[in-house]
Amino acid sequence: MSISVGDKIPSGKLQVMGENGPTPVSTDELFSGKKVVLFAVPGAFTPGCSMTHLPGYVVNADKILAAGVDTIACLSVNDAFVMDAWGKAQNAEHIMMLADGNGDFTKALDLELDGRGFGMGLRSQRYAMIVDDGTVTTLNVEPGAGVDVSAAESIMAAL
């Protein structure tokens, strides 16, 4: 059963690109004592993710942060090199680009997407959540293709 509103975020490790290469970030470090907007995409550089999902958060980052959010984070089952390059290509300097390279965190949330039919392997479903001190307070999982309930505007309405 997938993570739900009221659940604690599971402990795990993700990666970001640091000055000296991929750097681990624990979910405890990321979420403890903070209000975080986390949104996930099926893949960096894919059309819906690059044309709609991430750009919506880039454009609205100031408004989201002004609403009391400490961190906006974008997660994908990609490596830290890809996430870093994608963030730079999208001018996402106010968004933490999180790599879940093996999909372990995505599996722990039970929000996997089987993209094998498209040659993409295991990916993340498209979703957005608000996490307050490690507890999920809002969870919007897209029911199908497209960017609607997980869009920046939907999350801003929930803040």
Side-chain angles (χ1 to χ4, degrees), residues 18 21 59 70 79 90 96 100 107-108 136 143 149 158:
V59 169
D70 297 297
D79 62 62
Q90 293 283 325
M96 179 182 275
D100 184 19
K107 287 177 194 170
V136 178
V149 299

Side-chain angles (χ1 to χ4, degrees), residues 32-119:
S32 291
K34 299 173 188 159
K35 189 172 199 173
V36 177
V37 168
L38 172 69
F39 67 101
V41 299
F45 291 105
T46 58
C49 305
S50 290
M51 294 187 308
T52 306
H53 209 181
L54 178 56
Y57 284 92
V58 170
V59 169
N60 289 295
D62 290 342
K63 292 175 189 170
I64 294 168
L65 294 169
V69 171
D70 297 297
T71 305
I72 305 168
C74 175
L75 178 129
S76 186
V77 179
N78 287 112
D79 62 62
F81 296 98
V82 169
M83 292 302 287
D84 183 58
W86 188 42
K88 288 176 179 169
Q90 293 283 325
N91 299 311
E93 62 270 359
H94 298 297
I95 297 173
M96 179 182 275
M97 302 301 285
L98 294 170
D100 184 19
N102 293 328
D104 295 334
F105 182 69
T106 298
K107 287 177 194 170
L109 296 177
D110 196 21
L111 288 171
E112 312 99 290
L113 171 71
D114 184 353
R116 289 180 293 183
F118 305 103

Side-chain angles (χ1 to χ4, degrees), residues 1-11 31 105 108-111 129-139:
M1 190 158 143
S2 70
I3 195 159
S4 301
V5 170
D7 290 348
K8 289 294 247 180
I9 291 289
S11 292
F31 295 105
F105 182 69
L109 296 177
D110 196 21
L111 288 171
M129 63 172 70
I130 301 170
V131 182
D132 197 350
D133 192 23
T135 300
V136 178
T137 59
T138 301
L139 175 61

